[in-house]
Amino acid sequence: MTKTAVVTGASSGIGAATARRLAAEGYRVVLVARRKERLEALAAEIESAQGGAAARAVALDVTDAEAIKAFAAGLESCDVLVNNAGGAIGADPVAGADPGDWRSMFETNVLGALNFTQALLPKLIASGEGTVVMLTSTAGHIAYENGAGYAASKHAMHAMTATLRLELFDQPVRVIEIAPGMVMTDEFSVKRFGGDADKAASVYAGVPGPLLAEDVADCIAWSVTRPAHVNVDLMIVRPRAQAAQHKVYRVAE
């Protein structure tokens, strides 16, 4: 039987790349995000490119717990859940940070993942070989200046992932954490800096070969397609140029 993978935040970036890759691996993909038109376009692209692969677009806000419960109730089965939806807002020091930005990040990054995990866990268990993938970040493992809100939310996701794995030790569900470093996508840094494209571009300026969304999708697909008894607890993936959070090689331009 064809397995079903639900991917949140699938309208762009890592989520869209993951949906394409899992469809190529033979999964029926359910694309979840708020932007309906983007999702529908991606679903049509996947079905055309994969020669009949099933792709379904579902416009949902990951913070709407009741809507997510209704979605889960109407889903016939779920074998894989990729909790990818989220992002960063602002780059301010703790002393000057906007609590509203922190609230938005926690609601999307942490509670969004919680909402989908809670709603789909019964179906993941019922599948007999379920997999939950949490997209965290290297920011969930080490702090850095002017990123406390985002780092705190990703640390919370890391803690939730580790706890969930302990709680499901006797259930047929793998819990995988993928923690990317510097990934250059169309929207992540632009959103972080309030639409300032120049400031967003400066994050990657001179970096030879930052990760792309497809690189992270490849890591997700590899982890998900291992034999059911193999759990990739944590994969930290960075571009070669990023030796650590604060140590990035840049070529002078």
Side-chain angles (χ1 to χ4, degrees):
M1 293 179 61
T2 301
K3 293 184 177 182
T4 298
V6 174
V7 182
T8 69
S11 60
S12 65
I14 294 171
T18 299
R20 291 186 184 100
R21 179 59 191 275
L22 290 179
E25 294 286 347
Y27 285 87
R28 177 189 300 111
V29 290
V30 181
L31 318 175
V32 178
R34 290 176 297 179
R35 294 178 289 185
K36 184 178 180 181
E37 290 185 1
R38 279 180 172 251
L39 291 177
E40 290 177 342
L42 178 59
E45 174 203 318
I46 288 172
E47 291 188 339
S48 175
Q50 301 301 331
R56 174 187 168 198
V58 178
L60 267 183
D61 187 327
V62 298
T63 66
D64 189 340
E66 293 306 312
I68 293 166
K69 289 177 184 176
F71 158 74
L75 194 64
E76 183 178 348
S77 63
C78 182
D79 302 273
V80 175
L81 168 62
V82 181
N83 281 310
N84 165 75
I89 305 174
D92 302 308
V94 172
D98 182 347
D101 290 345
W102 283 49
R103 188 174 298 108
S104 293
M105 285 186 280
F106 270 80
E107 287 179 348
T108 304
N109 298 348
V110 184
L111 296 182
L114 175 64
N115 289 336
F116 266 89
T117 301
Q118 288 182 333
L120 290 175
L121 194 53
K123 286 183 168 61
L124 289 163
I125 292 172
S127 75
E129 293 184 356
T131 302
V132 177
V133 178
M134 295 285 199
L135 254 292
T136 63
S137 168
T138 53
H141 298 263
I142 185 168
Y144 59 94
E145 297 94 332
N146 303 323
Y150 180 64
S153 72
K154 290 300 183 177
H155 271 74
M157 283 189 73
H158 170 64
M160 177 167 59
T161 304
T163 304
L164 182 64
R165 190 180 301 115
L166 293 172
E167 292 170 349
L168 295 178
F169 81 103
D170 60 348
Q171 297 297 322
V173 179
R174 299 179 297 178
V175 182
I176 295 169
E177 178 181 355
I178 306 293
M182 181 178 284
V183 185
M184 185 170 66
T185 62
D186 292 339
E187 297 185 337
F188 181 84
S189 290
V190 174
K191 286 183 177 179
R192 181 168 208 166
F193 295 115
D196 189 331
D198 291 337
K199 187 176 287 188
S202 70
V203 173
Y204 312 102
V207 178
L211 294 179
L212 301 177
E214 290 74 17
D215 298 319
V216 182
D218 183 50
C219 294
I220 294 169
W222 180 84
S223 300
V224 167
T225 56
R226 294 312 86 203
H229 69 285
V230 177
N231 195 102
V232 180
D233 283 16
L234 169 63
M235 182 188 295
I236 294 178
V237 53
R238 294 187 176 98
R240 187 178 63 198
Q242 187 183 30
Q245 207 78 346
H246 291 80
K247 194 174 183 66
V248 179
Y249 175 61
R250 298 178 189 270
V251 178
E253 295 183 338

